[in-house]
Amino acid sequence: MTLSIQNIEKMLHAKRFGDNNGIIDTISIDSRSLQNNQKTLFFALVGSNNDAHIYISDLIKKGVQNFVVTHIPEGLANKAVFLVVENTLDALQKFAAHHRSLFKFPVFGLTGSNGKTIVKEWLNFLLNPDFNIIRSPKSYNSQVGVPLSVISINDKHNLGIFEAGISKMDEMEKLENIIRPTIGIITNIGTAHDEGFEDLEKKIKEKLKLFKHSKLIIYQKNKIIDALIKSKIKSFSWSFNDETADVFISKKEIQDKTTLQVRYGKENFDVQIPFQDEASVENAATCLMVLLSFKYDKKTIQNRMQWLYPVEMRLKVKNGINKTTLIDDSYSCDFQSLKIALDFLESQKQYKNKTLILSDIFQSGLSNEELYTKVAQLLKNNKVNRVIGIGETISAFKNKFTNCTTFKTTADFFLNFNYLNFVNETILIKGARHFQFEEIVSALEEKTHETILEINLNSISHNLSFFKSKLKPTTKMMVMVKAFGYGSGGFEICKLLEHHKVDYLGVAFADEGISLKNAGIVLPIMVLNPETTSFSSIIQYKLEPEIYSLKGLNAFLKIAEKRKLKHFPIHIKLDTGMHRLGFEEENLDELIAILKDNKFVTVKSVLSHMATSDDLVHQEFAHSQITLFEKLSSKLMSELQIKPIRHILNTSGISNFPQAQYDMVRLGIGLYGVSNDAEEQKYLENVGTLKSIISQIRSIQAGESVGYGRRFVANKPSKIATIPIGYADGISRHWGNALGFVTINNQKATIIGSVCMDMLMVDITEINCKEGDTVIIFGESPSVTFMAHQLQTIPYEILTSISQRVKRVFYRE
């Protein structure tokens, strides 16, 4: 895509300010991307929590010269070219719709509650021997993601596969105008985003708007869909139980596979797929329908579908060997998803040096010369220090890359593995599936036991945005990352928060802050419970201490004077009723006297902590705290002639006492998906999922016991599974003896007997499972909130108890 600014101006019906006859070849909405350059057109999107106009000044300094805006920021009128429009998101969508109109090949539009990304990836696998396919990268299916996907179409593509996701009414028409699918696919209609629709019929009616101009719709037969499809559109339905469908499918499970017995018109044939779970079988049936609609013969269908594979939709961050961090994106390799992965690499890099292990790139729609020239420039922009290429094609273009080593095959890579010296670096592993890069991930990954805590970074971002939406535009946000990020992990979450430009991080003790600074975090970090012995380290690492007593203040000032500090930032804690830490009203005059005309420190903020913000039964007490905070902080400001940041609200306070936002709030447990309010909990996403596996399954007879002390005795023949997680990993012993449960294959398995140090046992008598199957210890079910209620504690204790020996795996969908 290369367009002149003049052409874009006409296309968007924009008003142009500034002269530029340059060419645009990149569209961007992310000010943080290292891919922004002189040929970038930046759309300054405005959301409920963020306005990208505030980043334009920084982007100009980085070389970006062309912007689509709703207004020109003050002082920038003559420093760049601005295309002024009423709504920048509408403009982005209009741009994408125009680009789509230039191409006439078949385009699939996928919608549904579940399965869209799986079906898209499988269709890409099944059809790519015959087509040059453009598809949505990852799950780019939103009002922003769809236009960014469609803009990537080029002249070499001859088939498109795009997802469309909606969460409320009146969203689909905009996506239809951009995708303009010629063939529609409806995947599973489930309960996701139900809250945005009055009923199922209205939800389906909204989704069907995607197919306004389609010639064919493929779907699982459903009476509501049947009634709503317009007569001019041809339907092609399938079913497991309705024999009036165009294609009737029976299922038969054999070992770990499923045979689909297909009846289509006069034809009957079998197709084998390597799955048995209901969702995968449904998604495979949808893909089968597409192959039938394209008139593929049964032998081709049988041959290709037997090789369907599990699709990993996540970018995962893992600890690697020799002080390395791995970003695992080892299941696909195309140009668009490489750009996304490189942005993620920058947002999650723990080590300065960045290494990319990259396979041949397929289906770019570009000549190899043009493709690898673009890839080389992309890696240069992203400041990748080392490239390891694997594949015949990338090896042929090795000279385009700086500091590049190539191998023809993955096997050749392993022959030289010991000479590649992976150490102190962040490594992005990005490979097309048949290169089997999962073996590279396995070789580089730090070996730990099979229990992991998965942290969903998308959910962190969602929850952050949810609480930001409750704030005034001028209110700053501190995020609490103490106690190893409430058990979820420190650096990785802090790096994401830095990416989202929060204002402060909060830790309990100096060593937590030092660890983050050593890892490269540059956000200001407040130490809330500093010990006087840590003041020297706090100063050395440029942390900012909370000062809560005269003794502590005098100790810090003594060191500050000795080191000849000037205006070192400190934070004054006031006790307004919590009676834990802080200056009380009777100390205020002495505090003011010490701080007055003091040049060694600067009061950066004044804060207090609410004792009952989560319990509205005590809201009178909460209001008394706010009133006292106003009185004491105002006196400090007046007497010292200062304007510090003031903050008193924690997570519950943000929701329950919005009038007391002051200058900043402190978000804690809410970031991790936990609320004390049941209604608010519905809007938060689960962040942490603690997983393990079944180590062993055994059968016992009535009268036999399990575990220490024979606390469980079977009253009938039973099947018992042993899970390698115990109280040394953070699972309370009280959670055993039939109080708690785990989830295996979406079914509850009761914990029987005592929880051991490294193991627990569960009853799987009624569950179809095998050794090696995944076990959910907590996540969606049971949730940490449920566990806390059963154990008569709080979610904080559940989360922070998870041992450091449990590996944390961070991922982004």
Side-chain angles (χ1 to χ4, degrees):
M1 175 191 66
T2 52
L3 287 169
S4 70
I5 285 292
Q6 289 91 335
N7 286 338
I8 297 171
E9 176 188 354
K10 294 173 185 175
M11 184 194 309
L12 301 182
H13 304 293
K15 189 170 183 179
R16 176 160 60 96
F17 295 84
D19 295 320
N20 188 343
N21 297 319
I23 296 297
I24 296 299
D25 66 7
T26 304
I27 301 300
S28 176
I29 62 165
D30 187 352
S31 64
R32 299 159 296 197
S33 175
L34 296 179
Q35 296 156 33
N36 294 320
N37 57 52
Q38 285 185 325
K39 293 185 179 180
T40 295
L41 178 62
F42 184 84
F43 283 76
L45 301 186
V46 180
S48 57
N49 306 313
N50 198 21
D51 183 348
H53 289 78
I54 65 176
Y55 308 123
I56 289 176
S57 177
D58 289 339
L59 284 164
I60 291 173
K61 292 174 185 175
K62 294 175 182 176
V64 181
Q65 280 294 297
N66 302 287
F67 300 89
V68 178
V69 297
T70 59
H71 64 278
I72 301 173
E74 188 177 348
L76 300 181
N78 300 314
K79 295 186 177 180
V81 175
F82 295 97
L83 301 179
V84 180
V85 297
E86 284 189 19
N87 184 299
T88 48
L89 176 57
D90 287 347
L92 176 65
Q93 294 175 337
K94 189 181 293 184
F95 182 94
H98 172 82
H99 186 71
R100 165 69 181 92
S101 71
L102 304 176
F103 303 92
K104 304 302 180 186
F105 52 73
V107 170
F108 288 99
L110 284 78
T111 191
S113 305
N114 306 295
K116 296 185 292 295
T117 303
I118 301 289
V119 169
K120 177 197 69 185
E121 292 299 323
W122 281 354
L123 287 179
N124 177 66
F125 167 75
L126 294 166
L127 298 173
N128 74 30
D130 312 304
F131 296 93
N132 195 350
I133 300 171
I134 175 71
R135 69 192 192 281
S136 313
K138 303 296 180 187
S139 52
Y140 268 39
N141 59 30
S142 66
Q143 298 291 313
V144 174
V146 167
L148 292 176
S149 301
V150 167
I151 286 167
S152 300
I153 301 173
N154 66 45
D155 292 333
K156 302 291 175 55
H157 294 124
N158 56 15
L159 183 72
I161 311 174
F162 297 105
E163 297 180 48
I166 56 171
S167 57
K168 58 185 179 182
M169 297 296 290
D170 303 321
E171 288 187 326
M172 191 60 89
E173 284 183 286
K174 292 181 179 179
L175 300 186
E176 191 279 334
N177 191 44
I178 300 167
I179 299 174
R180 283 294 174 119
T182 56
I183 303 166
I185 296 175
I186 304 175
T187 62
N188 176 276
I189 302 290
T191 58
H193 303 297
D194 269 0
E195 66 275 6
F197 305 92
E198 288 181 29
D199 54 44
L200 181 61
E201 183 174 336
K202 283 188 169 58
K203 182 177 183 177
I204 292 174
K205 188 178 288 187
E206 178 70 14
K207 289 182 180 294
L208 285 172
K209 289 179 182 178
L210 179 62
F211 311 128
K212 183 178 177 182
H213 296 95
S214 298
K215 297 176 182 177
L216 175 71
I217 299 179
I218 295 169
Y219 66 102
Q220 185 173 10
K221 193 165 181 63
N222 175 300
K223 289 181 180 179
I224 299 176
I225 297 176
D226 289 342
L228 292 173
I229 293 178
K230 293 181 179 177
S231 58
K232 65 179 182 179
I233 302 175
K234 184 180 177 182
S235 64
F236 191 34
S237 64
W238 66 274
S239 180
F240 290 132
N241 46 46
D242 187 341
E243 296 196 30
T244 66
D246 297 304
V247 178
F248 183 72
I249 303 173
S250 302
K251 297 177 287 185
K252 185 178 179 182
E253 293 183 357
I254 302 173
Q255 294 178 342
D256 57 349
K257 299 179 175 62
T258 300
T259 296
L260 303 180
Q261 298 167 318
V262 182
R263 191 177 77 202
Y264 175 38
K266 296 180 180 179
E267 282 202 88
N268 291 276
F269 60 95
D270 290 350
V271 173
Q272 194 173 80
I273 57 173
F275 305 101
Q276 288 188 341
D277 65 285
E278 185 178 343
S280 294
V281 174
E282 273 194 25
N283 292 333
T286 299
C287 293
L288 166 70
M289 294 293 288
V290 171
L291 295 180
L292 290 172
S293 73
F294 270 43
K295 310 299 183 187
Y296 279 88
D297 62 82
K298 66 181 181 182
K299 284 188 177 179
T300 302
I301 293 173
Q302 289 166 332
N303 181 53
R304 292 188 186 177
M305 290 198 63
Q306 69 178 321
W307 298 110
L308 291 179
Y309 53 91
V311 173
E312 179 56 76
M313 294 181 289
R314 304 165 171 179
L315 282 159
K316 289 185 175 179
V317 183
K318 302 176 177 179
N319 290 329
I321 60 174
N322 305 328
K323 296 184 178 179
T324 60
T325 297
L326 312 182
I327 296 178
D328 178 3
D329 195 9
S330 57
Y331 78 98
S332 71
C333 192
D334 58 82
F335 187 66
Q336 294 307 314
S337 65
L338 175 61
K339 292 164 71 173
I340 295 168
L342 287 168
D343 277 342
F344 186 65
L345 168 65
E346 178 61 21
S347 73
Q348 281 294 313
K349 67 176 185 189
Q350 183 166 353
Y351 301 96
K352 183 178 179 181
N353 286 334
K354 296 188 286 187
T355 293
L356 170 64
I357 303 177
L358 180 68
S359 77
D360 286 348
I361 297 174
F362 300 112
Q363 292 188 302
S364 68
L366 305 170
S367 68
N368 284 334
E369 177 70 30
E370 187 178 359
L371 169 63
Y372 287 99
T373 300
K374 281 180 170 288
V375 172
Q377 185 59 50
L378 194 62
L379 303 190
K380 183 179 178 182
N381 292 344
N382 278 270
K383 300 176 183 176
V384 173
N385 303 90
R386 175 165 67 145
V387 179
I388 297 172
I390 299 177
E392 297 274 353
T393 309
I394 196 170
S395 294
F397 289 90
K398 173 183 177 180
N399 63 339
K400 290 189 176 292
F401 302 96
T402 303
N403 193 17
C404 179
T405 305
T406 59
F407 304 97
K408 296 290 180 67
T409 67
T410 306
D412 291 339
F413 166 86
F414 277 111
L415 287 174
N416 293 273
F417 183 83
N418 291 332
Y419 304 105
L420 291 170
N421 193 29
F422 294 105
V423 63
N424 291 324
E425 56 196 315
T426 304
I427 306 167
L428 170 61
I429 302 164
K430 180 81 176 141
R433 186 174 177 273
H434 79 259
F435 282 93
Q436 297 181 310
F437 272 22
E438 65 272 14
E439 295 180 9
I440 297 177
V441 175
S442 178
L444 287 170
E445 190 174 1
E446 184 180 61
K447 302 303 180 283
T448 55
H449 77 123
E450 293 158 308
T451 297
I452 61 171
L453 179 60
E454 286 189 345
I455 309 299
N456 187 333
L457 295 175
N458 295 76
S459 295
I460 291 273
S461 297
H462 169 87
N463 297 337
L464 179 68
S465 294
F466 173 78
F467 285 102
K468 272 189 173 180
S469 70
K470 295 174 175 286
L471 305 181
K472 295 176 288 188
T474 54
T475 304
K476 299 178 185 295
M477 180 175 281
M478 172 188 285
V479 178
M480 307 307 298
V481 292
K482 60 184 180 177
F484 193 53
Y486 288 67
S488 297
F491 168 79
E492 292 84 358
I493 289 175
C494 292
K495 195 67 181 172
L496 180 65
L497 295 172
E498 203 165 60
H499 193 65
H500 282 299
K501 300 184 184 298
V502 303
D503 301 283
Y504 260 92
L505 299 176
V507 298
F509 301 105
D511 56 352
E512 294 176 312
I514 291 168
S515 176
L516 293 175
K517 288 293 185 181
N518 282 335
I521 297 299
V522 297
L523 278 175
I525 298 173
M526 185 192 299
V527 182
L528 281 85
N529 306 326
E531 297 151 321
T532 55
T533 54
S534 69
F535 284 158
S536 292
S537 296
I538 284 173
I539 293 167
Q540 179 183 345
Y541 286 93
K542 296 186 169 76
L543 303 173
E544 301 181 16
E546 174 191 283
I547 302 296
Y548 50 81
S549 69
L550 293 171
K551 177 185 175 184
L553 177 61
N554 287 323
F556 190 83
L557 288 175
K558 185 177 179 180
I559 296 173
E561 183 176 5
K562 185 177 180 180
R563 296 198 178 195
K564 299 180 180 177
L565 299 181
K566 289 185 179 180
H567 306 295
F568 194 93
I570 63 171
H571 302 264
I572 298 298
K573 175 76 167 284
L574 301 176
D575 182 2
T576 57
M578 182 79 167
H579 295 329
R580 191 172 63 177
L581 294 174
F583 292 95
E584 295 180 292
E585 187 170 8
E586 63 194 47
N587 308 133
L588 219 57
D589 289 336
E590 192 173 353
L591 171 65
I592 290 167
I594 295 171
L595 289 175
K596 207 161 215 176
D597 300 322
N598 189 296
K599 305 298 183 186
F600 301 116
V601 296
T602 292
V603 178
K604 192 71 176 287
S605 84
V606 177
L607 66 148
S608 190
H609 193 64
M610 297 179 72
T612 62
S613 63
D614 61 336
D615 190 349
L616 293 179
V617 171
H618 298 290
Q619 62 177 308
E620 185 178 340
F621 181 79
H623 283 298
S624 73
Q625 281 198 267
I626 295 168
T627 300
L628 183 57
F629 178 66
E630 172 66 28
K631 176 185 175 183
L632 300 185
S633 60
S634 294
K635 181 175 180 178
L636 270 178
M637 293 166 66
S638 174
E639 295 280 347
L640 295 175
Q641 296 284 289
I642 56 173
K643 288 187 177 180
I645 299 167
R646 290 194 286 177
H647 47 114
I648 189 172
L649 298 185
N650 55 6
T651 296
S652 297
I654 292 170
S655 299
N656 293 334
F657 300 95
Q659 74 281 5
Q661 287 180 18
Y662 286 99
D663 306 298
M664 186 162 72
V665 296
R666 301 188 299 274
L667 178 62
I669 195 72
L671 182 76
Y672 307 95
V674 177
S675 172
N676 290 302
D677 181 83
E679 193 59 34
E680 184 174 80
Q681 185 67 53
K682 296 176 184 177
Y683 295 95
L684 299 180
E685 293 185 358
N686 179 65
V687 168
T689 301
L690 183 59
K691 291 182 175 181
S692 193
I693 63 164
I694 298 175
S695 292
Q696 189 175 40
I697 294 175
R698 67 178 69 249
S699 297
I700 63 173
Q701 300 304 312
E704 292 188 293
S705 63
V706 175
Y708 288 117
R710 302 199 74 206
R711 289 187 175 86
F712 172 80
V713 178
N715 58 14
K716 62 180 181 179
S718 304
K719 277 201 309 179
I720 308 301
T722 300
I723 319 299
I725 183 172
Y727 58 76
D729 300 291
I731 306 303
S732 171
R733 291 185 75 249
H734 299 295
W735 191 229
N737 297 316
L739 176 65
F741 68 91
V742 300
T743 300
I744 302 173
N745 294 336
N746 296 315
Q747 292 180 266
K748 291 182 179 180
T750 302
I751 299 173
I752 56 174
S754 297
V755 173
C756 308
M757 181 180 287
D758 309 299
M759 287 170 278
L760 56 82
M761 286 70 73
V762 299
D763 186 347
I764 56 165
T765 306
E766 305 298 327
I767 300 175
N768 181 21
C769 58
K770 60 185 183 298
E771 291 176 359
D773 278 0
T774 298
V775 178
I776 306 297
I777 311 300
F778 67 64
E780 295 288 351
S781 177
S783 68
V784 291
T785 302
F786 174 82
M787 289 178 69
H789 180 265
Q790 294 295 100
L791 291 167
Q792 298 182 17
T793 183
I794 56 176
Y796 299 72
E797 184 176 349
I798 307 292
L799 291 171
T800 58
S801 294
I802 303 306
S803 165
Q804 294 297 301
R805 80 176 185 177
V806 173
K807 179 172 67 175
R808 271 70 173 172
V809 174
F810 299 83
Y811 69 91
R812 178 176 286 175
E813 299 283 4

